[in-house]
Amino acid sequence: MATPVENGESVAVPDHLLEIQDLHAYYGQSHILQGVSLTVGREPLALLGRNGMGKTTLCQALVGLVPAVRGSARFDGRELVGRRPHEIASAGIGYVPQGRRIFPSLTVEEHLRLVARRESGRQNGWTPERVYELFSRLAERRRHRAGALSGGEQQMLAIGRALLTNPRLLIMDEPSEGLAPVVVEHLIEVLRQLSTQGLAMLVVEQRLAVATALAERIAIMVTGRIVLETTASALLADPAIQQQYLGVSPRREVA
Ligand SMILES: Nc1ncnc2c1ncn2[C@@H]1O[C@H](COP(=O)(O)OP(=O)(O)OP(=O)(O)O)[C@@H](O)[C@H]1O
Ligand SMILES: [Mg+2]
């Protein structure tokens, strides 16, 4: 913690936007998060790991959808553990869940208006119009039911919906899952743009090429613990580490 002195008083300012320390979570008797410690600052962080390692559980614990039983997760210095999902969203964390979780029978416009209405008290924030500027494809599809959208369009909608809560940190769980390479390229471009504009990001990814295109900081999870923190360049240059922790074959590296 940095503690600058302001007007003679010591004010605690966290070094990182998100500081996770020794976080534990269970599903019934299964100990899934076994002491996760990780920080996220202004720079995007990609979290990698094989199937079933606990990446989604970590995301859900951070946004209050799974109870953390031990440890702490501080966002901007304030504890998230024990708070409810809507409080965490209001605190400034946007969540894009794995599999998008959109409502098939609602239109694009209805999805966005629903969130925008809830958030309408805020000044200078995200609006549906700004989301349409970011994703012109969504503007074209605004009257379509979400269930009729392509996977890529659904992902854009899930991201747009999260942006409308005006987050300072966006947590995305496998945004590229099931999407065609050309759609993934577009998504990477937009996410980079948002990052440049100051939005912090924690991105869970299975695809090494996507993770390393989005983030220079990389963390790897194995059975509910962070076993390695590295950089995109170091990871790309080390096939042995890729094989050990991710089981990446050259074929899977293609985004
Ligand atoms: N609702 C649940 N009830 C019981 N066990 C669960 C539940 N959800 C996940 N698990 C188990 O918790 C472990 C971690 O799952 P999690 O979904 O967090 O992994 P993941 O790293 O996100 O995997 P993937 O890459 O497949 O998305 C797995 O063993 C999984 O089977
Ligand atoms: Mg998952």
Side-chain angles (χ1 to χ4, degrees):
M1 291 273 181
T3 54
V5 174
E6 207 174 77
N7 300 330
E9 283 179 36
S10 177
V11 181
V13 174
D15 292 330
H16 301 279
L17 195 56
L18 179 66
E19 293 190 339
I20 309 168
Q21 271 174 6
D22 194 32
L23 203 67
H24 291 254
Y26 290 76
Y27 280 121
Q29 299 290 306
S30 309
H31 192 181
I32 307 295
L33 297 186
Q34 303 186 6
V36 174
S37 296
L38 195 63
T39 59
V40 184
R42 297 287 162 200
E43 201 190 335
L45 175 79
L47 177 63
L48 292 164
R50 293 184 185 183
N51 292 126
M53 289 300 172
K55 305 180 299 295
T56 295
T57 308
L58 175 62
C59 296
Q60 292 183 331
L62 292 174
V63 298
L65 294 171
V66 163
V69 294
R70 207 162 86 219
S72 100
R74 291 182 163 270
F75 178 64
D76 221 1
R78 293 199 297 165
E79 185 59 58
L80 298 176
V81 172
R83 292 170 76 189
R84 300 172 65 85
H86 71 271
E87 295 173 326
I88 292 171
S90 304
I93 299 186
Y95 178 45
V96 181
Q98 186 167 15
R100 349 289 187 208
R101 300 292 163 97
I102 45 106
F103 301 102
S105 63
L106 292 188
T107 65
V108 168
E109 182 86 8
E110 284 165 348
H111 269 94
L112 299 182
R113 294 276 162 217
L114 209 66
V115 186
R117 197 175 311 130
R118 229 169 38 212
E119 303 290 325
S120 62
R122 303 199 192 181
Q123 296 285 311
N124 305 323
W126 280 90
T127 59
E129 286 66 34
R130 234 181 114 192
V131 170
Y132 291 139
E133 277 168 32
L134 191 68
F135 295 114
S136 57
R137 198 77 193 129
L138 284 185
E140 293 163 21
R141 300 266 174 171
R142 67 169 78 192
R143 312 223 183 282
H144 290 238
R145 287 185 199 281
L149 301 179
S150 70
E153 290 161 352
Q154 290 184 355
Q155 188 63 62
M156 292 170 201
L157 179 57
I159 294 170
R161 182 176 58 180
L163 290 174
L164 282 167
T165 67
N166 294 305
R168 279 179 296 149
L169 169 69
L170 194 57
I171 298 179
M172 286 174 286
D173 195 352
E174 305 216 15
S176 79
E177 195 175 22
L179 304 186
V182 61
V183 180
V184 174
E185 287 301 319
H186 175 56
L187 202 61
I188 290 172
E189 206 176 291
V190 172
L191 293 176
R192 278 179 162 171
Q193 189 185 324
L194 291 169
S195 168
T196 310
Q197 290 167 5
L199 181 61
M201 289 181 192
L202 169 59
V203 188
V204 171
E205 258 299 333
Q206 284 275 348
R207 300 190 203 187
L208 181 59
V210 178
T212 53
L214 284 173
E216 182 56 22
R217 273 193 74 208
I218 306 279
I220 295 178
M221 180 178 267
V222 176
T223 49
R225 287 195 187 94
I226 303 301
V227 295
L228 181 69
E229 285 192 55
T230 182
T231 62
S233 0
L235 184 59
L236 287 169
D238 197 337
I241 292 284
Q242 293 173 25
Q243 183 56 40
Q244 182 180 357
Y245 293 120
L246 311 170
V248 176
S249 66
R251 187 176 45 79
R252 284 205 59 206
E253 279 185 57
V254 179

